[in-house]
Amino acid sequence: MNGRFESAGGAVGGGLLVAGTTSDAGKSVVTAGICRWLVRQGIRVAPFKAQNMSLNSFVTREGAEIGRAQAMQAAAARVEPTALMNPVLLKPGSDRSSQVVLLGKPVGELSARGYFGGSGGSSPGKTQYAGHREQLLGTVTDCLAELRRTHDAVICEGAGSPAEINLRRTDIVNMGIARAARIPVVVVGDIDRGGVFASFFGTTALLSREDQALVAGYLVNKFRGDVTLLEPGLEMLRGLTGRPTLGVLPFAHGLGIDEEDGLRVSLRGAVRESVVEAPHGADVLRVAVCAVPLMSNFTDVDALAAEPGVVVRFVDRAEELADADLVVLPGTRGTVRALAWLRERGLADAIARRAAEGRPVLGICGGFQMLGERIEDEVESKAGTVEGLGLLPVRVRFAVEKTLARPVGTALGEPVEGYEIHHGVAEVTGGDEAFISDGQGHSLDGCRAGSVWGTHWHGSLESDGFRRAFLRRVAADAGRAFVPAPDTGFGTLREEQLDRLGDLIEEHADTDALLRLIEKGVPEGLPFVPPGAP
């Protein structure tokens, strides 16, 4: 099917909201899967998430910061990601406050109470957002309208659950946006957790009559076993709610797509169920990633985990570094806090011993800053001057303005591209070489001192040639007979994973029903399930 879908308002892209019974029910992957399935049908599709809370973010080509999940969904849709796809991004800085990123740019730091309806603004001139979250609804509906104007279909992702009745009054990401844009809703439930029927029924029954009128059906996610055993329950659910189940998606291992939030990484676990292939050489290479507080963009190590023979795990104890060939300090939204955590847990001393022994360490963004000599922070932690680990000749000063960029350069003789998201400005005062240069001997970012490396660039390890060159250097320093596979293409692997998501939808969902919802909108006559919202 090609061309614009027709609606009551004239030629406009169709829409669908993928909501979930809980966080992590599978909204992100289902949204990506629907996007990939649609684009394979020749339909111009875009993803959308009105409001995202995540420490995993990405920089678009116009220099806007959005959630990485939306960038992944844009790749699934084969379109360039833009700020329109995630107009509001909340980046937690503590249990009670977040940085608010509006249309790709930071506009202030707000407490949860301030954002959800009370006071709490902490940035001068920016407190107009405190207590007025509902005012953002106009912004997000405008963004959605623009995407629908320029695409055949827009697949929206909700957040958490639409039945969070304490937050419904100011909701702009679930039923709030569905009501405003008049688009149908499909609710996803993770059956692997158990209780999926109660979750579907309870989610529906806790919505108001007006909200329920938009809920068109359900999708079961992560099913294991014989689907015929599930069918009687699905029929009873339809009898109870008057709504069909539009698909039962099987449990799929090792999809490796970008996670929504680094806070949910299981410590001491392999990266996202990835299966380590046999090494190309004689040895494997062991990578330990320090799971620092407020860890951000831990997706940087995905490209390492994709290499045959590279074992990546997240750790939080000093003794877990002993057998690691490479230790990675990842990005964090709280550099000073993460530095204190490293010291409290003995990890700082263990990393210093590694450096003295010539064993490889890599710091990325906040991790790079921690490896330096000194941090001056009156912006993020407001802690003033704090001593770093002293393993790189770098001094960091936090600036009020955030650096958001998509740079390119050269490292170890190979082309590199990445993205920058940081307040810290690094002054490199020495070292053996720059981490990344312009190819003509001029430093662009970071540095190396002995076996310790640091860079602000996220995503650099996704550049295949550089990743192989870096791993060869790590293996030599670690004394490992590890050889990078010559044909691992991270971009190709990512495309294969996105195609797998599209296959899940095509093979296990009622695609005719999904297409009708996207094209025709909300079905008439959906019954009310009591008691409704209190």
Side-chain angles (χ1 to χ4, degrees), residues 178-259:
R179 284 267 291 273
R182 196 66 195 165
I183 56 176
V185 178
V186 173
V187 181
V188 178
D190 180 356
I191 197 171
D192 199 49
R193 295 181 174 188
V196 74
F197 293 118
S199 297
F200 283 143
F201 182 86
T203 296
T204 308
L206 276 177
L207 300 179
S208 69
R209 185 180 297 273
E210 294 80 8
D211 286 350
Q212 284 191 30
L214 301 177
V215 176
Y218 311 109
L219 270 172
V220 176
N221 191 29
K222 295 186 180 180
F223 179 73
R224 308 173 192 248
D226 184 353
V227 73
T228 61
L229 299 176
L230 192 65
E231 288 172 351
L234 300 179
E235 284 303 312
M236 285 185 275
L237 180 67
R238 182 164 192 164
L240 288 166
T241 67
R243 291 158 174 84
T245 297
L246 303 176
V248 178
L249 309 182
F251 193 102
H253 289 277
L255 289 174
I257 58 90
D258 294 351
E259 298 284 354

Side-chain angles (χ1 to χ4, degrees), residues 126-204:
K126 304 302 181 182
T127 57
Q128 66 267 33
Y129 295 98
H132 298 288
R133 190 168 74 133
E134 62 274 14
Q135 293 181 4
L136 296 174
L137 183 60
T139 299
V140 301
T141 54
D142 286 347
C143 291
L144 177 56
E146 177 62 17
L147 289 173
R148 295 181 75 182
R149 187 183 67 80
T150 55
H151 295 80
D152 299 327
V154 178
I155 308 302
C156 309
E157 178 188 346
S161 163
E164 292 168 352
I165 54 180
N166 57 315
L167 303 177
R168 176 62 185 91
R169 182 179 61 84
T170 53
D171 169 48
I172 63 170
V173 64
N174 290 306
M175 303 313 299
I177 190 69
R179 284 267 291 273
R182 196 66 195 165
I183 56 176
V185 178
V186 173
V187 181
V188 178
D190 180 356
I191 197 171
D192 199 49
R193 295 181 174 188
V196 74
F197 293 118
S199 297
F200 283 143
F201 182 86
T203 296
T204 308

Side-chain angles (χ1 to χ4, degrees), residues 168-404:
R168 176 62 185 91
R169 182 179 61 84
T170 53
D171 169 48
I172 63 170
V173 64
N174 290 306
M175 303 313 299
I177 190 69
R179 284 267 291 273
R182 196 66 195 165
I183 56 176
V185 178
V186 173
V187 181
V188 178
D190 180 356
I191 197 171
D192 199 49
R193 295 181 174 188
V196 74
F197 293 118
S199 297
F200 283 143
F201 182 86
T203 296
T204 308
L206 276 177
L207 300 179
S208 69
R209 185 180 297 273
E210 294 80 8
D211 286 350
Q212 284 191 30
L214 301 177
V215 176
Y218 311 109
L219 270 172
V220 176
N221 191 29
K222 295 186 180 180
F223 179 73
R224 308 173 192 248
D226 184 353
V227 73
T228 61
L229 299 176
L230 192 65
E231 288 172 351
L234 300 179
E235 284 303 312
M236 285 185 275
L237 180 67
R238 182 164 192 164
L240 288 166
T241 67
R243 291 158 174 84
T245 297
L246 303 176
V248 178
L249 309 182
F251 193 102
H253 289 277
L255 289 174
I257 58 90
D258 294 351
E259 298 284 354
E260 190 80 333
D261 197 336
L263 297 174
R264 300 195 183 102
V265 175
S266 296
L267 298 181
R268 296 179 293 282
V271 175
R272 279 200 289 297
E273 304 172 351
S274 59
V275 178
V276 178
E277 297 183 21
H280 191 69
D283 281 350
V284 298
L285 206 64
R286 297 174 176 84
V287 179
V289 184
C290 294
V292 298
L294 299 174
M295 180 168 53
S296 62
N297 287 69
F298 69 95
T299 47
D300 283 329
V301 299
D302 281 1
L304 296 179
E307 282 285 347
V310 176
V311 182
V312 179
R313 66 186 190 276
F314 291 89
V315 303
D316 65 347
R317 296 196 296 253
E319 57 268 31
E320 293 178 296
L321 304 187
D323 67 343
D325 301 306
L326 171 65
V327 169
V328 177
L329 287 180
T332 172
R333 185 66 174 99
T335 302
V336 170
R337 175 179 169 183
L339 188 55
W341 180 86
L342 290 175
R343 288 180 167 131
E344 289 166 2
R345 303 186 72 87
L347 287 158
D349 289 340
I351 292 169
R353 287 194 296 272
R354 289 183 61 89
E357 295 165 359
R359 302 173 68 194
V361 177
L362 170 64
I364 302 173
C365 200
F368 168 42
Q369 295 166 6
M370 288 186 277
L371 290 171
E373 299 169 348
R374 186 178 69 205
I375 298 171
E376 296 178 19
D377 181 12
E378 299 292 349
V379 175
E380 189 175 77
S381 69
K382 298 180 174 58
T385 300
V386 177
E387 294 300 312
L389 297 179
L391 302 181
L392 288 176
V394 176
R395 296 172 184 173
V396 176
R397 176 185 55 81
F398 274 63
V400 173
E401 294 298 318
K402 181 186 284 191
T403 296
L404 297 170

